[in-house]
C-alpha cells in the first residue's frame, strides 16, 4: 500500500532514496540499473532483485506513469508488452521531477529509521513537494484489501490543492470543476456523468468507463485507432481483434495493420467493401479491450493505518504533510542561523576588542589557556572562543571584518523573517501555494485523457447491428423470420411468383411487412395482449426457410396467436394506436401507454364474446379511418369520432356487420390523394381512390368496396397505396409475388378488379403487404 503523503510504496521509496544516495541526480550521468538494484537490495530492501528491477522499470515507463520518476536509458519495455532488457544492459538516473520529491530531505524534515540490519538509516517518508499519490496513481494488493488509484494531471491537481488551501471548506463539486477526472498516460476517453466522478471522489470508490480514441478516415473508410485505454496491451488488442474476425464474431474486416512508430500509435482496420465502419467500430468497443472499465479504490496508508479516502481527504493529507515539512525546514534553517549568529556574535566581541583579544592569545602558553582567558575576559561561550581561536588572520583585515558584520546583520534579519513565518499558518500556506505554482510552471502540461459527459451505459445492441430493411414473415402456424428485403425481386403483374417460404405441414405465410433492423415490432395477439421486440431480435433466415416458432420468442399462452402487428421507430407521445376487432369494435389509445411491456405481455384491448383483434395502426389524432370487411363492405369516418380511452378499455362500434360478415382490415387514412388497394383470395385486386368512399358517421353499414363473385373470391386485405409503391403477395403454398402498385388499375368501388397473381387450383392468396417506397432490386 502506498503512503498517502508521498504516494510511494516502500520499494519505490527505497529505490529513489538509494539513487540519491548514489548521486544519480538528474544533472549527473547515468549508472547501470544493476548497480542501483544491488545497492538498494544490500542497504534497504533485502528482497529479490527481479522485484526491485520491475519496480525500477515501471517508474521509467512513460506509458505506465503519467509523470515518470526515473530517467532510463536503454530498452525499458513497450506498450506491446515487450519486457525490459536485463538490468545489466539498462542505465538510470533520477528524473528532474523526482528532485522535488527528495528536496530538503537532509534538513531534518522527515524521520529516519534503521534499515533491516541496523547498519544505516532510511527515511520513513519522503518530503515530496508534489502530490505524487494522485499524480501518478498506484495499485496494490494487501491482506484483505486492495488499492487502485488512477493518475491525474499535474496542473489540475496542483490548482485543486491551492484552492483547498485557500478554502478548506471547498466542496467536492468545486474540486471536480478543477479536476474533471483522472488523466491517463495513454490518453483515451473517459465516459460518464459528473455524478459518477462525484461518487468516486466523495466515497473513494467507483467505476469509470474508459475507451480508446478511434476515427474513420473519410478517404479510405478505414478505422484508425490512435489511443488505447490505460494498461491495455496493444499487441494483445490486435491479436484479440484478429481472433474475433477469425471466429466470425466480428464481420466485415478485411485487414488489420499496426502502423505505430515514434510519432505515435496508429492501428488501421480496413473494412470490407460496402461494410459500415461505424458498426465495426461499435463491435470493437463491445467485444475488445478498446473499451474497458477502471475500478477506482482510493486506499492508502494514513497515520500507519490503511484508509479509504476521498479526493478532499487525500488533498488535505498532502497539505498537512507539506505544512509539517515546511515547518521543519524553517526550524532547521532557524537552528542553523542561530548557531551561526552565535559564532558571529563572538567574532563581533573579539573584533570590537581586537587588541585585547590578540594580547590574550599571545600571552597564553597553551590553546586551552587562551580559550579560558577569552571566555573569562570577553565573557563569551566555549563555542565562540574556539571559533575565535580558529579564525584566520586574513579575516582581521578591514574588508573581512566588514563582511563579518554584514553577514551578522543579514542573519539577524533572516532570523526575524523565519520566526515571523513560523508564527503564522497563513505565511506557511502562502509558501506552499507559491511552491505549487512554481512546480506547475515547470512540470504542468495539457490533459491527455478527454472527458465525455455522456454516460454510454454500455453499447446498445443497435450500435452493433447494421441498419437495413428486412422483410418479416409470420406464418399461419406462428413461425416468424426476417429476411433481407433485397432478396425479393420485383416482378410484373401476373407473374407466377418465386418461392418466398417453404410450406410445411399445411403451414403458410400469413403476414409480411418491411421494417428496419432498429425498429420496434409490436405484436398483438388474438386474446388482446401486446408484446414488442426489436427487428434484429427476430431470427434471420433464408428466403425458403420456415423461421422460428413465435412461442420461443414471445411468452404466448396456449391457443394464443399473433393476429396483428405494427413496426415503429419509437413510442411518440403525440401518436395514437387505432385497434379494430373482427366484430367491428374500434379503440383509440395513446401510443406511449404501450411503451413498457412486461415479458409476459400487457393488455392491449379488452375483448368480449370471443372477439378477435384484426388490425392495429398508428394515427396522429386528426386522421380518417377506413374499415373493410370480408364480404366487400367498407366505411370511412373521421378519427375524432373515436374518443381516446385507456389501455384496459374495450372500445366502441366502428361498423355494423351482417351476420356472416367480419372485418378483414382497418386503415388510418393520412393522405386523401392515396388509393385503397383491395385484394381477394383468388388473386384479384384493384385500386380505388379514397374519396370514392363517402365520409359517413362511425358505426354505419358502409358502402360496397369490391364486387364479390365466385371468380374473385372474398376479400383478404385492403390498404392504402400510392403510385410507385411495391406490393408483396404471398400464396398459401409460400410463393411470393412482388409488383408495383402503378401496374394495378385504378377503377371504381363496385368492380371486380384485375388478376394480380396466377394461382393454381385450390391455392389462395393469404397475405398481402406494401413495401414502403423502396427501389427495385432488379
Amino acid at each position: 500500500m502506498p503512503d498517502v503523503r508521498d504516494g510511494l510504496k516502500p520499494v519505490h521509496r527505497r529505490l529513489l532514496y538509494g539513487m540519491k544516495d548514489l548521486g544519480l541526480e538528474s544533472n549527473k550521468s547515468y549508472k547501470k540499473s544493476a548497480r542501483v538494484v544491488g545497492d538498494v537490495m544490500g542497504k534497504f530492501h533485502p528482497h529479490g532483485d527481479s522485484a526491485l528491477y520491475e519496480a525500477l522499470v515501471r517508474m521509467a515507463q512513460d506509458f505506465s506513469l503519467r509523470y515518470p520518476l526515473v530517467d532510463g536509458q536503454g530498452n525499458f519495455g513497450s506498450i506491446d508488452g515487450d519486457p525490459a532488457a536485463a538490468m545489466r544492459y539498462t542505465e538510470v538516473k533520477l528524473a528532474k521531477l523526482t528532485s522535488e520529491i527528495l528536496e530538503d530531505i537532509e534538513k531534518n524534515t522527515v524521520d529516519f529509521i534503521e534499515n533491516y540490519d541496523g547498519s544505516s538509516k532510511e527515511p520513513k517518508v519522503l518530503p515530496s513537494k508534489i502530490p505524487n499519490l494522485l499524480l501518478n496513481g498506484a495499485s496494490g494488493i494487501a491482506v484483505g484489501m486492495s488499492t487502485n488509484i488512477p493518475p491525474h494531471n499535474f496542473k489540475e491537481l496542483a490548482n485543486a490543492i491551492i484552492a483547498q488551501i485557500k478554502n478548506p471548506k471547498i466542496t467536492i463539486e468545486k474540486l471536480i470543476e478543477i479536476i474533471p477526472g483522472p488523466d491517463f498516460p495513454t490518453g483515451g476517453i473517459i465516459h460518464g456523468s459528473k455524478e459518477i466522478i462525484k461518487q468516486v471522489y466523495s466515497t473513494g470508490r467507483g467505476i469509470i468507463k474508459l475507451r480508446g480514441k478511434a476515427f474513420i478516415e473519410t478517404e479510405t473508410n478505414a478505422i484508425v485507432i490512435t489511443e488505447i485505454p490505460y494498461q491495455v496491451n496493444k499487441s494483445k488488442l490486435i491479436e484479440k481483434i484478429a481472433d474475433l474476425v477469425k471466429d466470425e464474431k466480428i464481420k466485415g474486416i478485411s485487414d488489420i495493420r499496426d502502423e505505430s512508430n515514434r510519432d505515435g500509435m496508429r492501428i488501421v482496420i480496413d473494412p470490407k467493401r460496402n461494410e459500415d465502419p461505424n458498426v465495426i467500430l461499435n463491435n470493437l468497443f463491445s467485444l475488445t479491450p478498446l473499451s474497458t472499465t477502471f475500478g477506482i479504490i482510493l486506499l492508502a496508508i494514513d497515520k500507519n493505518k490503511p484508509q479509504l479516502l476521498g479526493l478532499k481527504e487525500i488533498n488535505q493529507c498532502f497539505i498537512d504533510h507539506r505544512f509539517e515539512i515546511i515547518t521543519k525546514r524553517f526550524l532547521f534553517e532557524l537552528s542553523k542561523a542561530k548557531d551561526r549568529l552565535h559564532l558571529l556574535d563572538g567574532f563581533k566581541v573579539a573584533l570590537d576588542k581586537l587588541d585585547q583579544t590578540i594580547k590574550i592569545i599571545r600571552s597564553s602558553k597553551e590553546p586551552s589557556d587562551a580559550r579560558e582567558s577569552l571566555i573569562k575576559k570577553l565573557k563569551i561561550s566555549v563555542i565562540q572562543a574556539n571559533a575565535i581561536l580558529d579564525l584566520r588572520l586574513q579575516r582581521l583585515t578591514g574588508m573581512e571584518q566588514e563582511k563579518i558584520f554584514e553577514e551578522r546583520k543579514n542573519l539577524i534579519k533572516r532570523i526575524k523573517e523565519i520566526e515571523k513565518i513560523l508564527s503564522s499558518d497563513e505565511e506557511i500556506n502562502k509558501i506552499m501555494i507559491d511552491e505549487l505554482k512554481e512546480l506547475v510552471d515547470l512540470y504542468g502540461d495539457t490533459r491527455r485523457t478527454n472527458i465525455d459527459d455522456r454516460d454510454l451505459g454500455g453499447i446498445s445492441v443497435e450500435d452493433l447491428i447494421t441498419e437495413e430493411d428486412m422483410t418479416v414473415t409470420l406464418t399461419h402456424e406462428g413461425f416468424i423470420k426476417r429476411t433481407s428485403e433485397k432478396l425479393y425481386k420485383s416482378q410484373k403483374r401476373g407473374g407466377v411468383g418465386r418461392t418466398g417460404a417453404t410450406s410445411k405441414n399445411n403451414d403458410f405465410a400469413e403476414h409480411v411487412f418491411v421494417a428496419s433492423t432498429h425498429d420496434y415490432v409490436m405484436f398483438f395477439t388474438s386474446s388482446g395482449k401486446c408484446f414488442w421486440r426489436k427487428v434484429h431480435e427476430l431470427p434471420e433466415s433464408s428466403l425458403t426457410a420456415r423461421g422460428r416458432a413465435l412461442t420461443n420468442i414471445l411468452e404466448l399462452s396456449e391457443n394464443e396467436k399473433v393476429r396483428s402487428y405494427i413496426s415503429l421507430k419509437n413510442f411518440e407521445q403525440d401518436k395514437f394506436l387505432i385497434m379494430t376487432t373482427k366484430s367491428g369494435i374500434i379503440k383509440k389509445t395513446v401510443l406511449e401507454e404501450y411503451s413498457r411491456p412486461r415479458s409476459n405481455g400487457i393488455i392491449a384491448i379488452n375483448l368480449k364474446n370471443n372477439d378477435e383483434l384484426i388490425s392495429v395502426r398508428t394515427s396522429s389524432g386528426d386522421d380518417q379511418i377506413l374499415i373493410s370487411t370480408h364480404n366487400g363492405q367498407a366505411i370511412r369516418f373521421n378519427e375524432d369520432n373515436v374518443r381516446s380511452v385507456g389501455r384496459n378499455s374495450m372500445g366502441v362500434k366502428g361498423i355494423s356487420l351482417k351476420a356472416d360478415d367480419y372485418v378483414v382490415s382497418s386503415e388510418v387514412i393520412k393522405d386523401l390523394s392515396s388509393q385503397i388497394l383491395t385484394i381477394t383470395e383468388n388473386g384479384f385486386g384493384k385500386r380505388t381512390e379514397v374519396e370514392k368512399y363517402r365520409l359517413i358517421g362511425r358505426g354505419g353499414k358502409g358502402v360496397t368496396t369490391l364486387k364479390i363473385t365466385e371468380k374473385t373470391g372474398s376479400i383478404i386485405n385492403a390498404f392504402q397505396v400510392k403510385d410507385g409503391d411495391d406490393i408483396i403477395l404471398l400464396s398459401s403454398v409460400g410463393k411470393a409475388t412482388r409488383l408495383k402498385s402503378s401496374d394495378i388499375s385504378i377503377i371504381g368501388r363496385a368492380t371486380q378488379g384485375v388478376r394480380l397473381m396466377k394461382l393454381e387450383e385450390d391455392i389462395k392468396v393469404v397475405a398481402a403487404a406494401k413495401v414502403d417506397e423502396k427501389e427495385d432490386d432488379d
Side-chain angles (χ1 to χ4, degrees):
M1 297 291 109
D3 192 291
V4 71
R5 295 168 292 178
D6 62 7
L8 298 171
K9 301 177 188 179
V11 64
H12 300 115
R13 188 178 300 115
R14 288 164 178 169
L15 280 166
L16 296 181
Y17 180 69
M19 290 174 72
K20 180 178 175 64
D21 201 36
L22 282 170
L24 297 179
E25 308 290 350
S26 60
N27 56 352
K28 302 291 177 61
S29 59
Y30 295 92
K31 276 192 171 64
K32 289 287 184 183
S33 300
R35 170 81 180 275
V36 174
V37 170
D39 200 66
V40 172
M41 185 168 59
K43 287 184 177 179
F44 312 117
H45 201 75
H47 300 281
D49 59 345
S50 60
L52 270 167
Y53 186 52
E54 284 173 12
L56 183 66
V57 165
R58 190 175 184 276
M59 287 194 289
Q61 293 174 336
D62 58 4
F63 53 87
S64 293
L65 265 64
R66 180 65 176 83
Y67 300 89
L69 302 179
V70 171
D71 183 359
Q73 185 169 265
N75 175 17
F76 279 84
S78 73
I79 200 169
D80 284 321
D82 299 320
M87 57 184 167
R88 61 183 178 274
Y89 298 120
T90 60
E91 296 179 332
V92 292
K93 64 179 179 178
L94 293 171
K96 187 179 179 183
L97 176 71
T98 314
S99 62
E100 312 295 347
I101 296 178
L102 293 159
E103 187 175 305
D104 299 329
I105 195 171
E106 70 284 350
K107 295 182 179 178
N108 294 340
T109 51
V110 294
D111 295 332
F112 278 72
I113 56 174
E114 288 188 348
N115 68 342
Y116 67 93
D117 64 356
S119 60
S120 62
K121 300 274 189 179
E122 64 173 298
K124 289 178 67 177
V125 68
L126 297 183
S128 181
K129 286 172 71 175
I130 64 172
N132 186 56
L133 181 67
L134 289 176
L135 194 68
N136 276 317
S139 62
I141 299 172
V143 178
M145 68 191 76
S146 64
T147 185
N148 202 28
I149 303 172
H152 291 75
N153 181 270
F154 199 152
K155 190 180 294 184
E156 294 172 355
L157 188 55
N159 289 335
I161 292 171
I162 290 170
Q164 190 165 330
I165 293 170
K166 292 179 178 178
N167 177 20
K169 295 182 179 179
I170 191 170
T171 62
I172 284 289
E173 288 80 5
K174 290 291 183 182
L175 287 175
I176 292 173
E177 290 179 9
I178 304 171
I179 307 177
D183 187 23
F184 296 100
T186 53
I189 303 170
I190 294 172
H191 284 278
S193 65
K194 285 186 177 179
E195 288 304 313
I196 296 174
I197 300 297
K198 181 182 176 182
Q199 174 199 335
V200 169
Y201 287 152
S202 299
T203 66
R205 282 184 181 273
I207 297 174
I208 58 172
K209 295 169 184 144
L210 187 60
R211 279 186 172 186
K213 282 186 184 177
F215 67 94
I216 297 168
E217 285 186 335
T218 54
E219 300 84 3
T220 62
N221 220 30
I223 298 167
V224 179
I225 301 169
T226 57
E227 294 177 8
I228 60 176
Y230 184 52
Q231 293 177 335
V232 169
N233 186 306
K234 177 163 65 72
S235 62
K236 288 187 178 179
L237 172 65
I238 295 171
E239 185 180 335
K240 175 71 172 177
I241 296 171
D243 288 342
L244 289 169
V245 173
K246 183 180 179 181
D247 296 339
E248 296 187 350
K249 292 182 179 179
I250 296 181
K251 298 179 181 179
I253 293 178
S254 63
D255 189 27
I256 308 170
R257 300 185 307 278
D258 186 2
E259 299 180 356
S260 305
N261 54 32
R262 291 183 179 180
D263 297 328
M265 184 181 297
R266 181 180 169 87
I267 304 170
V268 181
I269 299 171
D270 292 328
K272 292 179 180 177
R273 189 176 180 184
N274 297 326
E275 291 288 342
D276 186 350
N278 290 293
V279 172
I280 295 173
L281 183 56
N282 285 326
N283 272 285
L284 294 175
F285 283 135
S286 177
L287 301 174
T288 74
L290 190 59
S291 178
T292 185
T293 58
F294 189 93
I296 297 175
I297 306 172
L298 303 180
L299 189 141
I301 302 298
D302 180 27
K303 298 181 177 65
N304 295 320
K305 291 182 180 180
Q307 300 285 349
L308 188 66
L309 305 165
L311 173 64
K312 190 174 178 181
E313 289 82 3
I314 292 175
N315 285 349
Q316 192 59 50
C317 288
F318 175 75
I319 292 168
D320 294 343
H321 175 60
R322 282 305 298 167
F323 190 94
E324 181 183 348
I325 296 300
I326 293 170
T327 301
K328 286 183 175 180
R329 185 180 74 201
F330 279 113
L331 286 172
F332 178 81
E333 186 181 346
L334 180 64
S335 175
K336 291 289 185 183
K338 285 183 175 180
D339 288 345
R340 179 62 179 169
L341 180 62
H342 184 63
L343 293 181
L344 294 176
D345 285 341
F347 290 161
K348 183 177 184 303
V349 171
L351 293 173
D352 287 343
K353 301 177 180 180
L354 183 56
D355 292 339
Q356 183 182 356
T357 301
I358 294 171
K359 185 177 179 181
I360 291 171
I361 294 171
R362 289 183 64 184
S363 61
S364 300
K365 293 182 179 180
E366 298 288 339
S368 57
D369 295 339
R371 184 184 307 110
E372 293 297 329
S373 298
L374 289 172
I375 292 170
K376 182 178 180 181
K377 294 180 180 179
L378 298 182
K379 294 182 173 52
I380 58 177
S381 67
V382 175
I383 295 172
Q384 290 172 325
N386 287 332
I388 292 170
L389 291 171
D390 291 337
L391 198 64
R392 296 176 66 180
L393 289 175
Q394 69 176 30
R395 300 298 302 274
L396 301 179
T397 62
M399 186 175 292
E400 289 297 320
Q401 288 185 40
E402 283 299 321
K403 286 182 180 179
I404 290 172
F405 294 145
E406 184 66 26
E407 182 185 355
R408 181 177 177 275
K409 178 182 174 183
N410 291 336
L411 205 54
I412 292 170
K413 182 181 177 182
R414 179 58 181 164
I415 288 171
K416 288 181 180 178
E417 290 175 355
I418 294 173
E419 288 175 340
K420 182 183 176 183
I421 290 170
L422 290 172
S423 65
S424 170
D425 291 353
E426 288 300 319
E427 289 293 326
I428 295 177
N429 287 339
K430 186 175 180 298
I431 290 169
M432 202 187 312
I433 290 170
D434 291 340
E435 285 180 351
L436 286 168
K437 287 180 178 179
E438 184 181 344
L439 291 173
V440 167
D441 293 337
L442 286 172
Y443 307 107
D445 58 1
T446 56
R447 167 174 281 276
R448 295 183 189 176
T449 303
N450 294 340
I451 306 288
D452 191 334
D453 289 339
R454 294 175 301 162
D455 188 0
L456 299 181
I459 296 174
S460 67
V461 178
E462 282 78 11
D463 294 332
L464 310 179
I465 303 295
T466 302
E467 186 166 7
E468 63 174 317
D469 290 319
M470 308 296 288
T471 298
V472 181
T473 305
L474 180 63
T475 74
H476 180 74
E477 295 294 331
F479 285 80
I480 192 168
K481 70 173 182 177
R482 60 184 172 98
T483 308
S484 176
E485 196 262 339
K486 295 177 182 178
L487 294 179
Y488 288 92
K489 301 298 181 180
S490 182
Q491 292 186 316
K492 297 297 182 183
R493 178 174 62 86
V496 297
R498 61 176 292 178
T499 302
T502 302
S503 62
K504 186 176 182 180
N505 299 328
N506 296 320
D507 193 12
F508 56 86
E510 192 170 44
H511 298 293
V512 60
F513 61 95
V514 175
S516 164
T517 48
H518 290 191
D519 288 354
Y520 295 94
V521 180
M522 297 180 70
F523 296 96
F524 298 87
T525 71
S526 54
S527 62
K529 291 174 73 174
C530 170
F531 300 84
W532 64 249
R533 294 288 185 273
K534 288 278 193 172
V535 171
H536 63 74
E537 294 177 325
L538 302 177
E540 185 173 10
S541 301
S542 66
L543 197 65
T544 57
R546 190 183 189 192
R548 187 179 177 191
L550 263 174
T551 52
N552 295 329
I553 300 170
L554 308 177
E555 294 186 16
L556 301 176
S557 58
E558 190 176 358
N559 298 324
E560 187 176 21
K561 295 186 70 175
V562 172
R563 292 299 190 192
S564 189
Y565 61 87
I566 62 169
S567 62
L568 63 157
K569 289 287 184 186
N570 50 52
F571 294 87
E572 299 178 41
Q573 293 184 0
D574 57 348
K575 281 195 174 184
F576 298 88
L577 284 184
I578 304 295
M579 303 180 194
T580 310
T581 73
K582 193 173 183 178
S583 66
I585 298 297
I586 188 167
K587 175 186 173 184
K588 176 181 176 181
T589 306
V590 176
L591 174 62
E592 202 269 337
E593 288 202 26
Y594 297 86
S595 63
R596 292 175 293 275
R598 295 181 292 273
S599 60
N600 59 350
I602 57 175
I603 294 174
I605 183 172
N606 266 325
L607 300 175
K608 304 294 183 181
N609 302 323
N610 297 319
D611 199 2
E612 293 182 12
L613 190 62
I614 293 298
S615 173
V616 182
R617 297 286 185 270
T618 60
S619 75
S620 64
D622 298 318
D623 299 320
Q624 294 180 358
I625 297 167
L626 188 143
I627 300 174
S628 301
T629 74
H630 181 70
N631 291 342
Q633 292 297 109
I635 184 171
R636 180 166 73 103
F637 55 88
N638 285 320
E639 182 189 336
D640 56 16
N641 288 343
V642 184
R643 181 171 58 88
S644 178
V645 293
R647 185 167 56 82
N648 293 325
S649 299
M650 178 179 174
V652 294
K653 182 180 285 189
I655 186 171
S656 296
L657 301 171
K658 292 182 179 179
D660 61 341
D661 202 4
Y662 58 87
V663 172
V664 293
S665 74
S666 178
E667 282 289 286
V668 173
I669 307 299
K670 301 177 183 295
D671 185 1
L672 293 177
S673 66
S674 62
Q675 305 96 40
I676 298 298
L677 173 60
T678 306
I679 299 169
T680 71
E681 60 188 358
N682 290 341
F684 283 78
K686 69 181 179 72
R687 288 189 293 160
T688 304
E689 294 171 342
V690 169
E691 293 183 343
K692 296 294 183 181
Y693 300 87
R694 70 176 184 271
L695 200 62
I696 60 177
R698 174 184 59 80
K701 293 181 179 180
V703 296
T704 301
T705 184
L706 186 141
K707 186 178 180 180
I708 302 295
T709 65
E710 187 177 341
K711 179 182 177 182
T712 63
S714 300
I715 295 171
I716 63 149
N717 205 353
F719 49 88
Q720 56 186 328
V721 294
K722 293 181 181 179
D723 285 343
D725 284 349
D726 283 358
I727 310 300
I728 292 179
L729 274 63
L730 290 176
S731 74
S732 55
V733 293
K735 285 191 175 181
T737 292
R738 182 167 177 167
L739 60 155
K740 294 287 187 183
S741 62
S742 53
D743 293 338
I744 304 171
S745 303
I746 298 177
I747 51 182
R749 285 189 296 102
T751 57
Q752 294 184 30
V754 296
R755 185 175 294 278
L756 304 182
M757 186 176 186
K758 291 179 181 179
L759 299 171
E760 297 178 7
E761 189 176 353
D762 296 330
I763 305 301
K764 302 292 183 182
V765 175
V766 294
K770 178 181 67 174
V771 183
D772 294 332
E773 299 180 1
K774 302 298 177 187
E775 294 286 340
D776 283 352
D777 293 314
D778 286 345

